[in-house]
Amino acid sequence: MRLLGGLVAALAVVLVPSAPAFADNPPVASKTDLAQQAPAKKFERYSSGKRAYTKGSLTGVVTNPGAVIENADVKVSGKISDLTKGSGCGYAVFRITYQKGGNQPFTHKTFRDCTYKTPASYSFTYKKATLVELKVCSEAKTTKVSDQCLYGGVWKVVYATI
């Protein structure tokens, strides 16, 4: 009798209609679909000590969907603010990794504001980007950002196709 009861319970489980298989886990769009359909990605970041601040957005369109390493044409725009009352400047530094002949070198784009609480706008585009990272620093006014800013601390990932 126990065997028959067990079979009935097992059969009931099999025959009871259930929700679609993806009710709890809906299908996930591929990274290509997301990159092509996603609205502008917003970002904001302070420097250490909150002496500089940037806020902006990035849009990217994948130009080679389905490739082993996809890349995108990206457009970045925003504002950098110096929050120091002294002679310091706020720097927004972007590190862009891109595709070139099977390699993935990187380059920097740097934007500066040296006027207390009067943000400076920036905008740039880059083709074949695979990764865009951001770092915000507050330093003395110079023609180029310091190695401490470039190589110390952590980069914030703003966009990635990989």
Side-chain angles (χ1 to χ4, degrees):
M1 203 53 153
R2 283 187 190 176
L3 180 61
L4 184 58
L7 285 172
V8 170
L11 189 56
V13 169
V14 170
L15 295 177
V16 171
S18 62
F22 59 83
D24 291 332
N25 297 314
V28 177
S30 73
K31 63 183 177 186
T32 301
D33 294 336
L34 292 174
Q36 291 178 341
Q37 298 173 7
K41 181 177 178 181
K42 306 286 184 189
F43 59 85
E44 59 182 313
R45 182 93 170 181
Y46 281 95
S47 68
S48 62
K50 295 192 174 184
R51 303 175 100 197
Y53 171 77
T54 192
K55 182 176 185 177
S57 65
L58 180 146
T59 56
V61 177
V62 173
T63 56
N64 61 343
V68 174
I69 299 176
E70 294 179 337
N71 58 58
D73 292 347
V74 295
K75 179 175 177 28
V76 178
S77 60
K79 294 184 177 197
I80 177 70
S81 297
D82 172 33
L83 303 178
T84 64
K85 291 182 181 177
S87 61
C89 296
Y91 293 85
V93 183
F94 292 88
R95 181 168 63 185
I96 303 110
T97 304
Y98 58 96
Q99 288 279 26
K100 184 177 181 180
N103 295 317
Q104 290 195 21
F106 67 86
T107 188
H108 294 111
K109 294 271 187 190
T110 303
F111 303 93
R112 176 181 72 186
D113 175 49
C114 300
T115 55
Y116 177 66
K117 289 193 176 180
T118 307
S121 296
Y122 58 82
S123 180
F124 69 92
T125 57
Y126 210 91
K127 294 189 180 289
K128 297 186 178 182
T130 58
L131 180 65
V132 179
E133 299 166 286
L134 167 66
K135 192 179 284 189
V136 180
C137 302
S138 177
E139 301 183 327
K141 185 176 184 177
T142 59
T143 56
K144 88 180 215 189
V145 71
S146 74
D147 286 345
Q148 174 63 32
C149 178
L150 290 176
Y151 302 110
V154 178
W155 290 89
K156 177 183 179 176
V157 174
V158 178
Y159 184 83
T161 62
I162 50 177

